[in-house]
Amino acid sequence: MRDPYSVLGVQRNADADEIKAAWRSKAKSVHPDHNQSDPGASSRFAEVGRAYEVLKDPERRKRYDRAVDAHQTILQQRQAAREAAERAKAAKANAEKVMEELARANAQRAQAQANAKAAAPDTEAAEDMVERIFGAAKDAGASADEGRTRQDSEASGRAQSQPSSFSSGSAAGTDKNPSEGGNIAPEPRPLPVQAVDLIASLVRRIRGVNAPPEKAPDHAVEAHVSLEELLKQSWVAIKLPEDREVHFRLEPGMTAGHVARLKGQGLKVPGMLRGDLLVTLKLVSDAKFRVEGYDIHTIMPISLEDAVLGTETQVDTPEGPRQITVPPWSGSDRAIELDELGLPDGDGNRGKLVVELRVMLWEKPDAKVTDLMRHMREGLYV
C-alpha cells in the first residue's frame, strides 16, 4: 500500500478536517462514474478509500506513523553501516599507500647503506611519514626538518674529527664491533615494527581517537499486554531468537503503541556491540474497554426515558463500579468523563475514564411512544 498521506495529498500533520476534505475531493475526482473511459479509475478510487480508512481512525493513524518512523530508523541504521564500511575501505586503501611508501623508503635506505655513507641515514618517523603523505602542517614539517638537519651536521662533524681511527682500523684489517665504539651507522628499525607504527599512526590520523566498536542494529519486537497489566505496572517477558528471555517492567507513561528501548538487550553480532531492543506495546483486545492515549473508553447503554429525563446509575470501570450522573436530554453523542481513572501518564497524573452513552430502544415497540414520535414528525402536537 502506498503512503496514505501521498494518496490523499496531505501533510503528515494534517488534522481530521483536512484529511476528510482531501478524501472527498480525491474520491470525487477519481470516481469511476466520472472516469468511465479510464480502466484504472476503480483501483485509484479504492486506493483513496483505503488511505482514508487508515487516516480517519486516530489509532490506526498512530500505528501507521509509528511503523513509518521505525522503518526510517532502520534505513538510517543501514546507511550508517554502509558509511562505516566505506570508511574502513578508505582506511585500508590508505594503509596500502603507506606500506608502499614504507617499502620505497627502506629501498632508499638500503641503497644509501650500500654506498657506505658515514652518517646514519635519515629514518623517517611513522608520524612524519603519515603527515607527509596526507598533507602535514608546514610548521610541524619545518620543525622536523630542522631537527634532522641539526643531527646530520653533528654526525658529519663527528665523522670528520675521527678519520684516522676509521682508516687505521680498515688498513689493519680489524673488524670493529659496534659495541666497542667506532663510527658505524645504527641499524634501521625492522620493517614489521615500522609497519605497525605506520598503521597505528594512520588509524589515529583518520579517527582522531580510538573509536569504540560499531553498534549492532536495533532489534524490534512486540509485547502483548492487557489493560490490567498496564494499570498494575506488571513485569513483561520477551522471548528472543537466541534462547534468551528479557524481562522489563511496565512504567507510568506507557500505553498502547508505546515503544520501550532496552539498552544493550538486542541481538549479538560478532565484532560489534550488542544493539538495543525496541519493544512496541500491543494492547490485548478487551470486550469492555479500549485505550486511546492515556484515556480508557467504555460504552454504557441507557434507555430512552433515562436519556430524556436523566438518571443516577453505576458504570463498570477497570477498578470496580462507580456512581455517575446522566444529565437530562443526553443523546448518544454525549460522553461523561471521570478524572484520574485512566492510565498513569508519567507526570504523576492519570488519564480519564470516558463513558460513551448509547441510547437504546425497548425490546418491543411501545404504542404510546410510537404515536408520540409520529405526531412530532408530522407536526401534530397534543
Side-chain angles (χ1 to χ4, degrees), residues 15-216:
D15 58 24
D17 292 337
E18 292 180 55
I19 292 173
K20 187 173 184 179
W23 165 68
R24 288 179 173 176
S25 176
K26 283 282 185 180
K28 183 177 181 180
S29 62
V30 301
H31 198 283
D33 293 345
H34 300 157
N35 300 271
Q36 297 182 1
S37 60
D38 186 356
S42 297
S43 61
R44 289 198 302 274
F45 181 75
E47 183 181 44
V48 169
R50 288 193 298 269
Y52 181 61
E53 287 296 323
V54 172
L55 298 184
K56 76 175 183 178
D57 185 349
E59 187 62 29
R60 292 185 64 181
R61 182 178 179 182
K62 289 178 183 177
R63 290 200 298 268
Y64 175 80
D65 291 342
R66 286 194 295 268
V68 171
D69 293 339
H71 180 67
Q72 291 176 350
T73 300
I74 293 174
L75 293 180
Q76 292 172 357
Q77 292 173 348
R78 291 178 178 174
Q79 178 63 24
R82 285 194 293 269
E83 292 175 355
E86 292 174 359
R87 289 196 299 270
K89 184 177 179 181
K92 181 179 178 182
N94 290 333
E96 293 175 352
K97 184 177 180 181
V98 170
M99 294 302 294
E100 292 176 1
E101 188 70 20
L102 175 62
R104 189 178 301 110
N106 276 279
Q108 294 173 355
R109 185 161 47 252
Q111 182 64 35
Q113 290 176 348
N115 294 334
K117 283 188 177 181
D122 280 348
T123 302
E124 189 174 16
E127 293 290 342
D128 294 338
M129 185 177 293
V130 173
E131 291 286 347
R132 175 167 57 79
I133 294 173
F134 296 99
K138 294 183 179 180
D139 294 341
S143 300
D145 292 339
E146 290 176 4
R148 285 194 292 271
T149 303
R150 191 159 50 250
Q151 293 173 358
D152 291 344
S153 299
E154 293 173 359
S156 299
R158 289 194 300 271
Q160 293 174 3
S161 64
Q162 299 177 357
S164 58
S165 173
F166 184 81
S167 299
S168 60
S170 299
T174 304
D175 293 333
K176 274 188 173 279
N177 191 322
S179 63
E180 298 173 359
N183 194 23
I184 306 300
E187 291 295 328
R189 300 180 70 190
L191 179 60
V193 178
Q194 289 185 339
V196 172
D197 289 346
L198 281 170
I199 293 175
S201 300
L202 177 62
V203 171
R204 288 194 298 270
R205 175 83 178 184
I206 293 173
R207 292 185 174 179
V209 294
N210 292 330
E214 294 286 343
K215 179 184 174 184

Side-chain angles (χ1 to χ4, degrees), residues 231-300:
L231 288 170
K232 291 183 177 179
Q233 299 174 18
S234 305
W235 285 86
V236 178
I238 304 294
K239 291 185 178 180
L240 297 178
E242 304 169 346
D243 293 331
R244 288 194 303 129
E245 193 172 72
V246 176
H247 297 262
F248 74 100
R249 188 169 187 172
L250 299 174
E251 299 177 353
M254 293 185 176
T255 183
H258 178 87
V259 180
R261 178 180 292 272
L262 307 183
K263 297 287 187 180
Q265 296 294 333
L267 299 180
K268 179 66 175 177
V269 178
M272 304 180 75
L273 294 177
R274 191 183 289 273
D276 297 340
L277 182 65
L278 304 182
V279 183
T280 302
L281 300 183
K282 298 292 183 180
L283 196 65
V284 177
S285 178
D286 192 295
K288 290 185 176 181
F289 306 102
R290 75 175 190 276
V291 174
E292 293 185 7
Y294 300 111
D295 295 337
I296 301 175
H297 289 244
T298 187
I299 295 176
M300 188 180 74

